Amino acid sequence: MNSVEIRKNILSNVRRIVVKLGSSVVTTDKGLDRKIIRGLSDEICAYNKLGKEFIIVSSGAVAAGVRRMALKEGARTIPQKQAAASVGQSRLMAAYDEAFSRHGSRVGQMLLTRDDLTNRRRYLNARNTLMTLLSWGVTPIINENDTVVVDEIKLGDNDNLSALVAVLASADLLLTLTDMDGLMDCDPRVNPNACLIPVVEDLTPEIMGYAGGSSSSIGRGGMTSKLEAAKKVRMSGVPMIIAKGKTTRLISHVLEGEMIGTLVLPAKEKISARKHWIRYNLQPEGDLYVDAGAARAITQKGKSLLPIGVIRIEGEFEDGSAVRILSPEGAPLAVGLINYSSDEMQKIIGRQTPEVDWVLGYRRNDEAVHVDNLVVL
Ligand code: GLU
């Protein structure tokens, strides 16, 4: 199949779409770009009638708030940015609400944080809310809850958030709209002969290198963070298209299979939703260094990690926490959920499984990390 056929083939089956809009798309230097928001709602409402569902991940709260409050460049502390997001988020929602209401359609706001997507119960609650909104025909509009998170506990950027949402919602496509045409083979600001890469099959180091340090002028994430998002969705079998947002009827052009932007193909072998959550939503709380035999068993033979294979641990964790598993030299091999706390692990490192009983007085599991809870990197 050539790249045109590949694209048509992928897009013919797309029903649920996450559209991610960067700040540079939904705002101008004067504030919110209502024309873009209306145009988007026109397209989405028309497609809703054809049975397609959309989830919007929209940035723009901070940018809109900064403009509304006429805050000066450079004079922005973290609390100021958070307060700006508070002012801007309500304006952002009002703009979406007004645009969709013109078609008799409704929108619902969801503000998420990393904690919401790390805690399995909250993750599932978020999923239930999302599914209920969609079943009502309401378009969810999602943003990070900027007013309560600071950089250290942030999801990072809305590129990451949109990827996690696409997986959470079992979407068929992540469409990321930005101020660039897509992934270029070199920086177009430096080289006028830069060429757009229409299809990316795999995110090799060479492809990642094309993203360079490119960044959008107002949003947080540049092309690198878009490709990081692509890594996450493609592992879950979701294709992603990165395209320039300020284009008339962009969604229709994309869904009709026109060669716009960069299409990142889904991975041939995808991982389950649960393993995806372990790999991408959880923050590892500790490190387990394992011997060469255990490293081979995990990475090549698809086996669980037993206490006997662990050489050393670092960090403090509870049973059920996410941990990294590293080679004797410290190369990350896998992440997984541990069955024992760090205190317990200290006592059973290097022990045969039956010995765990008399060392601890009980044996919760034979495995330190069961293969079902382990994702090889
Ligand atoms: N949540 C931020 C906002 O709405 C944007 C973060 C981002 O663009 O990655 O302003």
Side-chain angles (χ1 to χ4, degrees), residues 325-342:
I325 299 169
L326 303 113
S327 72
E329 298 77 35
L333 303 174
V335 289
L337 302 182
I338 183 106
N339 287 327
Y340 293 94
S341 70
S342 42

Side-chain angles (χ1 to χ4, degrees), residues 23 58-63 143-144 146 154 157-159 219-221:
S23 302
S58 181
S59 303
V62 174
N143 196 358
E144 181 152 31
D146 294 308
K154 261 192 161 236
D157 51 60
N158 276 3
D159 291 318
R220 286 174 62 91

Side-chain angles (χ1 to χ4, degrees), residues 80-131:
Q80 281 177 337
K81 275 198 228 162
Q82 291 182 302
S86 160
V87 173
Q89 180 64 28
S90 53
R91 292 179 69 74
L92 190 63
M93 280 314 292
Y96 279 109
D97 194 53
E98 185 270 336
F100 278 79
S101 295
R102 288 155 51 248
H103 300 279
S105 294
R106 292 180 177 80
V107 293
Q109 169 181 267
M110 285 180 73
L111 297 179
L112 299 174
T113 63
R114 180 189 281 282
D115 285 353
D116 301 323
L117 300 177
T118 303
N119 178 304
R120 190 76 185 157
R121 182 177 286 179
R122 276 156 80 167
Y123 178 87
L124 294 174
N125 283 342
R127 184 178 156 88
N128 290 341
T129 306
L130 200 58
M131 294 308 163

Side-chain angles (χ1 to χ4, degrees), residues 27-174:
T27 61
T28 65
D29 50 8
K30 297 198 178 56
L32 285 169
D33 189 340
R34 287 170 205 278
K35 199 163 146 239
I36 285 285
I37 293 175
R38 285 194 186 134
L40 184 82
S41 72
D42 296 348
E43 288 199 281
I44 289 182
C45 293
Y47 272 114
N48 282 157
K49 296 205 177 84
L50 301 175
K52 294 201 193 290
E53 295 170 332
F54 291 80
I55 296 162
I56 296 177
V57 174
S58 181
S59 303
V62 174
V66 161
R67 269 137 216 178
R68 180 70 174 160
M69 300 308 296
L71 296 181
K72 277 191 210 54
E73 200 67 47
R76 288 176 225 154
T77 60
I78 289 173
Q80 281 177 337
K81 275 198 228 162
Q82 291 182 302
S86 160
V87 173
Q89 180 64 28
S90 53
R91 292 179 69 74
L92 190 63
M93 280 314 292
Y96 279 109
D97 194 53
E98 185 270 336
F100 278 79
S101 295
R102 288 155 51 248
H103 300 279
S105 294
R106 292 180 177 80
V107 293
Q109 169 181 267
M110 285 180 73
L111 297 179
L112 299 174
T113 63
R114 180 189 281 282
D115 285 353
D116 301 323
L117 300 177
T118 303
N119 178 304
R120 190 76 185 157
R121 182 177 286 179
R122 276 156 80 167
Y123 178 87
L124 294 174
N125 283 342
R127 184 178 156 88
N128 290 341
T129 306
L130 200 58
M131 294 308 163
T132 306
L133 288 171
L134 291 175
S135 75
W136 286 349
V138 173
T139 302
I141 317 258
I142 304 178
N143 196 358
E144 181 152 31
N145 193 351
D146 294 308
T147 58
V148 294
V149 287
V150 289
D151 278 354
E152 300 81 80
I153 52 164
K154 261 192 161 236
L155 282 154
D157 51 60
N158 276 3
D159 291 318
N160 185 31
L161 175 61
S162 66
L164 299 180
V165 165
V167 176
L168 170 95
S170 316
D172 306 308
L173 175 70
L174 170 59

Side-chain angles (χ1 to χ4, degrees), residues 210-225:
Y210 288 148
S214 58
S215 67
S216 136
S217 44
I218 16 182
R220 286 174 62 91
M223 194 49 78
T224 303
S225 80

Side-chain angles (χ1 to χ4, degrees), residues 195-244:
C195 288
L196 177 75
I197 301 174
V199 183
V200 169
E201 268 177 50
D202 196 0
L203 292 162
T204 57
E206 187 194 358
I207 293 283
M208 295 303 289
Y210 288 148
S214 58
S215 67
S216 136
S217 44
I218 16 182
R220 286 174 62 91
M223 194 49 78
T224 303
S225 80
K226 292 184 179 43
L227 295 188
E228 289 297 334
K231 270 190 191 166
K232 293 177 188 142
V233 290
R234 69 188 294 283
M235 286 312 295
S236 205
V238 181
M240 171 170 173
I241 292 179
I242 306 164
K244 189 171 202 143

